[in-house]
Amino acid sequence: MVERHQKQIRLHGFNNLTKTLSFNIYDICYARSPAHREEYLAYIDEEYNADRLTNILTNVADIIGANILNVARQDYDPQGASVTILVSEEPVLSEEKISASTSARPGPYPEDVVAHLDKSHLTVHTYPESHPDNGISTFRADIDVSTCGRISPLKALNYLIHSLESDIVIMDYRVRGFTRDVKGKKHFIDHKINSIQNFLSPETKRNYSMMDVNVYQENIFHTKMMLKDFDLDNYLFGLGKNDYFEKDLKQIEAQLRKEMKEIYYGRNTGSL
């Protein structure tokens, strides 16, 4: 486990470490007819347009205590959106607050504001798509939170996961560059971490199956998450469970689980 209160490194100048959190989230649904698929894409465009994504990233900036310098956003035709926010550092924190904010503990839920951040940028891009034949539609969002300084962007994880409730989450965290202490010794990471899972809330860990692939000597950490259980009614777009025969519902659930497993494992599994 990561220590909650780690002795701080006395630095020579600015902390030049770059810490980047990148993750892909996937939402999957079943829309049987072409009309239902069109309605699904329209729903995604409404639910995840540039305005709402800007609000989400603005909340991330609030959570990590950053000053917003610039916002660029764009909706695309026929679907999709992108947002990029540049932010600047907050005033220097006390050693006590820095120690608390760099510890590996679950980050905030959407209603919480608990940490601060040095120089950073936040980006999100969305990719709705729909299978032409079998009714499966998948929405993907790519999110990056990148910092230069002492604070890890991992503090934003739980807010984003709970703001964009997802079936699959694939996360990468990496630390690049180095900083020097007052004796001239290089430090290639300034906090202890053995898994991104250290930063996830207990609720998230209960709800998802998880798998790690970490390269500790390169400061690269990778975690995949797949939702364990789901209510089929929440995955049927345009129609409800009462509109299908039982055998059709079993087939649809099998298709949804196949889609999730293929995304989670990153390979095609063949026909049902």
Side-chain angles (χ1 to χ4, degrees), residues 33-234:
S33 70
H36 293 157
R37 290 193 287 274
E38 288 297 320
E39 290 176 17
Y40 167 75
L41 292 175
Y43 161 78
I44 287 296
D45 271 353
E46 178 66 26
E47 188 70 12
Y48 296 101
N49 59 37
D51 284 343
R52 178 167 186 255
L53 294 173
T54 299
N55 288 336
I56 289 173
L57 292 189
T58 298
N59 288 337
V60 170
D62 289 340
I63 286 169
I64 57 184
N67 291 312
I68 293 176
L69 299 176
N70 177 267
V71 179
R73 57 189 178 187
Q74 181 65 53
D75 287 305
Y76 299 111
D77 185 12
Q79 62 257 341
S82 296
V83 179
T84 298
I85 297 181
L86 299 180
V87 299
S88 68
E89 62 193 31
E90 280 284 315
V92 177
L93 301 177
S94 68
E95 290 298 312
E96 180 182 355
K97 288 185 178 179
I98 289 173
S99 177
S101 63
T102 56
S103 64
R105 64 185 182 210
Y109 283 87
E111 65 271 17
D112 297 328
V113 179
V114 299
H116 285 74
L117 179 72
D118 275 335
K119 294 184 182 71
S120 173
H121 67 263
L122 318 172
T123 64
V124 59
H125 307 281
T126 68
Y127 304 88
E129 70 90 39
S130 188
H131 192 290
D133 299 319
N134 72 359
I136 296 294
S137 293
T138 301
F139 167 75
R140 181 178 114 236
D142 293 351
I143 300 172
D144 287 288
V145 180
S146 185
T147 76
C148 292
R150 302 179 76 168
I151 309 301
S152 170
L154 288 165
K155 297 298 297 184
L157 255 184
N158 287 300
Y159 170 79
L160 287 166
I161 289 172
H162 286 271
S163 293
L164 304 167
E165 297 286 355
S166 305
D167 301 306
I168 305 290
V169 183
I170 300 176
M171 301 171 284
D172 294 283
Y173 177 63
R174 54 199 179 275
V175 181
R176 292 290 179 265
F178 65 88
T179 191
R180 294 182 190 271
D181 63 23
V182 292
K183 295 181 179 179
K185 179 182 178 181
K186 295 183 182 71
H187 294 267
F188 296 93
I189 193 167
D190 63 352
H191 59 294
K192 293 183 179 180
I193 174 175
N194 55 29
S195 172
I196 294 173
Q197 293 188 41
N198 294 134
F199 292 79
L200 296 173
S201 69
E203 180 184 359
T204 298
K205 292 179 181 179
R206 286 193 299 270
N207 292 338
Y208 288 86
S209 299
M210 299 187 188
M211 177 173 61
D212 276 3
V213 179
N214 300 316
V215 187
Y216 301 109
Q217 66 271 27
E218 297 296 334
N219 295 323
I220 297 173
F221 306 91
H222 176 79
T223 298
K224 294 181 178 181
M225 305 181 357
M226 179 169 60
L227 197 64
K228 291 178 181 178
D229 301 305
F230 61 81
D231 181 352
L232 187 58
D233 230 1
N234 296 331

